[in-house]
Amino acid sequence: MKRLSLQWRITLMTAVLIAVTCLLMNCLIGYSGKHYMDSISDGISAYSDIDQGKPDSFDPQSKNLDQELTIIVSGVQESFGITNWYITAAVTVFGGVLAYFVSGHALKPLRSFAAQIEHVQPNNLSDMKVSEDVLPEFKQFSSSFNSMIDRLDEGFTAQRQFTGNAAHELRTPLALMQAQIELFAVEHVDAEPEIAEFLKLLQEQTERMSQMTKILLEMSALRTVPCNDTVELAPMLEEILTDLAPLAEKKGVTLSYDGDGTLIGSDTLLYRMIFNLTENAIRYNRCDASVHISICDEADRILIRVKDHGFGIAEQYRESIFQPFFRVDKSRSRAHGGVGLGLSLVWEIASLHGGTVKTEESSENGTVMLVTLPKRATCKA
């Protein structure tokens, strides 16, 4: 019973109620009908000869009423009872079907509400409020949901503002530190090995922090980017593979792609999304392996798959890799120069366009990342 939908529960309860009501009516009407039939059969009489075969029918206008004729009532009670049961079954079935469609119409606002909830994303909270002009049973529900959406929107907005402000404030001192370290390194080219190693470490860490603040600024400003460009993916992939060719050659990784598609979105953000996925596939791939990008153009969406031949992602981490600063292998990630925000930015861009990104499959033979995008983005400038 717990697995049944609310509509089916209402239907079954209504059908049971109709069946019980019909059974009671059937029993009462049947008892009453049989009682009166017995009375009628005992009281009706006429005049005729009943000893000569089949008795004549009763005719009140007949003039030949000089002998008594008894009318025999035969099989009527049984037929009456069977007919009642047929009527009961038919009314129960009809009532159940009617209850199903009536309850479906009554639950239509709830279905509409559930469908709207499925499209709630952090970037479209302000557009997800439901109308409060509903049935009295749904008024408090709608009001509570809208209040929750307001609180979530305020929380996400405050988070984005804090992230953007913090990254902006960090960018200037980091740039100053980088400049001073580089200047010191140039002025002390003959420094001792320990000092040179220390300067190299400082340069690497300040560069990493600069990249981090840059990505955080990009993430905080995503909602301000217009998504009304007509993007042809094949030329974009050629440009991405050209830009990543030096990194791929350094690792001996072969790059390739196939397919094409056109969609409406942000050219800049989509470039960054595919670039990050491809760069990750190269960095965490095996040497002398390959990375292949495929595009599948469907009726109303575009599927982008990035396949590598790396070491795979453990199943328990396949959702967590899109969280900011999450690393499956911290030591290996730092060795590759990552800051832990690349896939998080990919997820944000896909979500902003009304799409999704996930690990479609992963094993020791490689990983396939799947991006699903609608052909027309849902984001707003």
Side-chain angles (χ1 to χ4, degrees):
M1 187 70 174
K2 291 182 178 180
R3 295 183 178 181
L4 293 176
S5 66
L6 184 58
Q7 183 177 359
W8 273 110
R9 293 185 188 185
I10 294 174
T11 300
L12 291 177
M13 288 189 291
T14 306
V16 170
L17 181 62
I18 292 173
V20 171
T21 304
C22 288
L23 285 173
L24 291 174
M25 290 180 63
N26 188 19
C27 292
L28 293 174
I29 293 173
Y31 173 79
S32 177
K34 290 177 182 179
H35 173 73
Y36 283 108
M37 284 181 185
D38 289 338
S39 300
I40 292 171
S41 66
D42 291 339
I44 295 180
S45 63
Y47 296 93
S48 184
D49 185 3
I50 61 174
D51 296 328
Q52 299 178 359
K54 186 176 179 180
D56 297 334
S57 60
F58 176 69
D59 183 6
Q61 305 296 328
S62 176
K63 297 180 180 180
N64 187 20
L65 300 177
D66 53 348
Q67 293 187 8
E68 183 179 0
L69 172 65
T70 302
I71 298 177
I72 300 175
V73 180
S74 176
V76 175
Q77 292 181 359
E78 183 180 355
S79 298
F80 181 79
I82 293 174
T83 302
N84 275 354
W85 287 114
Y86 281 144
I87 293 174
T88 299
V91 170
T92 300
V93 172
F94 176 75
V97 173
L98 187 63
Y100 179 82
F101 288 103
V102 170
S103 62
H105 180 74
L107 294 173
K108 190 175 181 180
L110 189 60
R111 285 203 183 97
S112 176
F113 177 75
Q116 190 168 357
I117 289 179
E118 291 179 356
H119 295 90
V120 173
Q121 297 290 342
N123 59 300
N124 65 356
L125 290 175
S126 58
D127 300 327
M128 286 295 106
K129 289 187 178 181
V130 297
S131 172
E132 296 188 15
D133 185 19
V134 292
L135 298 173
E137 293 81 2
F138 292 100
K139 258 189 193 312
Q140 185 177 359
F141 193 52
S142 300
S143 178
S144 300
F145 177 78
N146 289 339
S147 299
M148 180 191 69
I149 288 292
D150 286 334
R151 292 193 296 271
L152 286 173
D153 195 24
E154 291 174 1
F156 280 112
T157 300
Q159 182 186 36
R160 282 190 293 267
Q161 288 178 347
F162 173 78
T163 301
N165 292 338
H168 182 75
E169 292 298 325
L170 286 171
R171 185 171 57 177
T172 301
L174 282 173
L176 181 60
M177 289 173 60
Q178 279 184 293
Q180 292 295 325
I181 292 171
E182 290 174 2
L183 179 60
F184 185 86
V186 170
E187 293 178 349
H188 298 79
V189 290
D190 55 348
E192 296 180 2
E194 294 82 359
I195 297 176
E197 186 67 24
F198 178 68
L199 290 174
K200 182 181 177 182
L201 177 62
L202 286 178
Q203 286 178 318
E204 289 176 353
Q205 294 304 315
T206 52
E207 176 62 27
R208 179 172 170 273
M209 292 180 69
S210 295
Q211 291 180 10
M212 187 186 304
T213 55
K214 180 182 177 182
I215 295 175
L216 287 173
L217 279 172
E218 291 177 356
M219 292 175 67
S220 65
L222 283 180
R223 296 187 68 180
T224 63
V225 178
C227 298
N228 51 15
D229 302 324
T230 300
V231 182
E232 295 182 7
L233 293 176
M236 177 180 285
L237 288 182
E238 290 183 3
E239 185 179 351
I240 290 172
L241 298 188
T242 300
D243 292 343
L244 288 172
L247 178 63
E249 290 174 2
K250 184 178 178 181
K251 242 191 142 171
V253 174
T254 303
L255 303 178
S256 61
Y257 80 92
D258 66 70
D260 193 8
T262 302
L263 53 84
I264 305 298
S266 169
D267 183 87
T268 303
L269 294 182
L270 291 175
Y271 177 92
R272 185 60 184 269
M273 179 186 70
I274 302 174
F275 182 95
N276 282 8
L277 286 173
T278 310
E279 184 183 32
N280 262 27
I282 296 171
R283 289 186 183 278
Y284 300 104
N285 207 347
R286 289 183 169 90
C287 294
D288 300 321
S290 65
V291 171
H292 182 73
I293 308 172
S294 63
I295 301 172
C296 181
D297 189 346
E298 296 188 347
D300 57 349
R301 62 179 186 171
I302 299 287
L303 304 181
I304 304 172
R305 290 180 172 88
V306 180
K307 181 178 181 181
D308 63 47
H309 294 86
F311 300 93
I313 303 170
E315 187 172 356
Q316 65 268 30
Y317 299 136
R318 292 178 188 176
E319 296 291 334
S320 304
I321 58 174
F322 299 104
Q323 297 175 5
F325 304 109
F326 181 85
R327 298 172 183 275
V328 176
D329 186 340
K330 292 181 172 57
S331 60
R332 190 159 60 93
S333 298
R334 292 184 185 279
H336 288 294
V339 297
L341 289 172
L343 290 180
S344 180
L345 183 60
V346 167
W347 188 91
E348 291 283 354
I349 294 173
S351 176
L352 184 69
H353 283 76
T356 59
V357 58
K358 67 177 183 178
T359 306
E360 185 176 31
E361 59 181 82
S362 187
S363 66
E364 59 183 9
N365 297 320
T367 300
V368 178
M369 303 299 292
L370 171 63
V371 180
T372 305
L373 297 172
K375 288 192 173 181
R376 179 171 291 275
T378 58
C379 55
K380 297 180 180 180

